[in-house]
Amino acid sequence: MQTWKPGNMLYPVPAVMVSCRDKDGNTNFFTAAWTGTVCSDPAMVYISVRPSRYSYKMIEETGEFVINLTTDSLAHATDLAGVKSGRDVDKWKECKLTKGKALKVKAPIIKESPVNIECKVTQIIKLGSHDMFLAEVLAVDVDEKYVDKKGSLNLKAAGLMAYSHGRYYSLGKQIGKFGFSVKKKKSGR
């Protein structure tokens, strides 16, 4: 076994695109891997953003953002949104993505994303290299093509992707579901 210096080795993590808007109506989006769920009731999430990033001030100013899930088909746009700054390029045009209207926030959704999570900032926690925007989920917009006949979400069909130590990965096959380890087997009578 080797021991390395302290670092963020909790992988894989979601690779999402976060869209935002300032008070003047200017919009942008960026890639974030430091994101996740923090509470289920009320539904809350977080994103961690460097204060030097172009979108940081937009989110700080309006207190709103949208987490847009990414897919295999959005891999190129996801990477580009993380390496180019909205200060220098129009990422909507560069990534060939479409702004959509959110239901509860003024920040736009990315229409090509299978799920858009509309968020309202409740707290900004200064941490060091990144500040954490803790937020309540106000609405979840789901592309109907990923909803089955029973009304269940089938994100496997979307081809979600994840980020792990500098690389993007397509999520693989399902190997179980919540509670499968304790489910009683049916008798074969």
Side-chain angles (χ1 to χ4, degrees), residues 113-114 141-149 152-154:
S113 174
D141 310 306
V142 178
D143 187 329
E144 290 180 4
K145 71 181 171 186
Y146 301 112
V147 178
D148 67 20
K149 292 176 184 175
S152 295
L153 184 58
N154 179 7

Side-chain angles (χ1 to χ4, degrees), residues 14-183:
V16 301
M17 289 187 283
V18 177
S19 49
C20 53
R21 176 184 185 271
D22 68 15
K23 288 189 178 182
D24 295 327
N26 300 305
T27 64
N28 192 46
F29 62 93
F30 62 98
T31 302
W34 308 152
T35 183
T37 299
V38 293
C39 188
S40 58
D41 187 15
M44 295 186 75
V45 295
Y46 78 91
I47 58 171
S48 290
V49 184
R50 288 183 185 272
S52 60
R53 299 294 186 217
Y54 177 64
S55 294
Y56 181 96
K57 292 291 182 204
M58 291 180 167
I59 296 169
E60 184 182 49
E61 181 180 278
T62 63
E64 298 178 346
F65 61 88
V66 178
I67 296 174
N68 303 274
L69 298 189
T70 57
T71 63
D72 296 348
S73 63
L74 291 171
H76 186 269
T78 302
D79 185 61
L80 193 136
V83 297
K84 294 215 175 184
S85 174
R87 285 184 185 98
D88 306 322
V89 298
D90 178 347
K91 291 186 195 177
W92 298 100
K93 184 176 179 183
E94 191 93 9
C95 293
K96 299 178 177 80
L97 295 177
T98 312
K99 287 183 216 179
K101 186 167 175 43
L103 183 66
K104 300 282 186 175
V105 298
K106 291 181 181 172
I109 65 169
I110 297 174
K111 289 184 87 169
E112 290 79 4
S113 174
V115 176
N116 318 98
I117 304 167
E118 300 181 34
C119 304
K120 180 73 174 165
V121 175
T122 60
Q123 187 177 2
I124 301 171
I125 303 169
K126 306 227 180 256
L127 298 172
S129 63
H130 291 68
D131 289 353
M132 179 189 292
F133 289 94
L134 193 59
E136 186 171 352
V137 175
L138 301 182
V140 178
D141 310 306
V142 178
D143 187 329
E144 290 180 4
K145 71 181 171 186
Y146 301 112
V147 178
D148 67 20
K149 292 176 184 175
K150 295 179 182 178
S152 295
L153 184 58
N154 179 7
L155 280 180
K156 183 179 179 191
L160 293 179
M161 63 181 245
Y163 177 82
S164 183
H165 203 61
R167 292 173 173 83
Y168 302 102
Y169 293 92
S170 178
L171 295 181
K173 67 177 183 171
Q174 179 179 327
I175 58 172
K177 66 178 187 175
F178 181 76
F180 85 101
S181 65
V182 295
K183 185 175 180 179

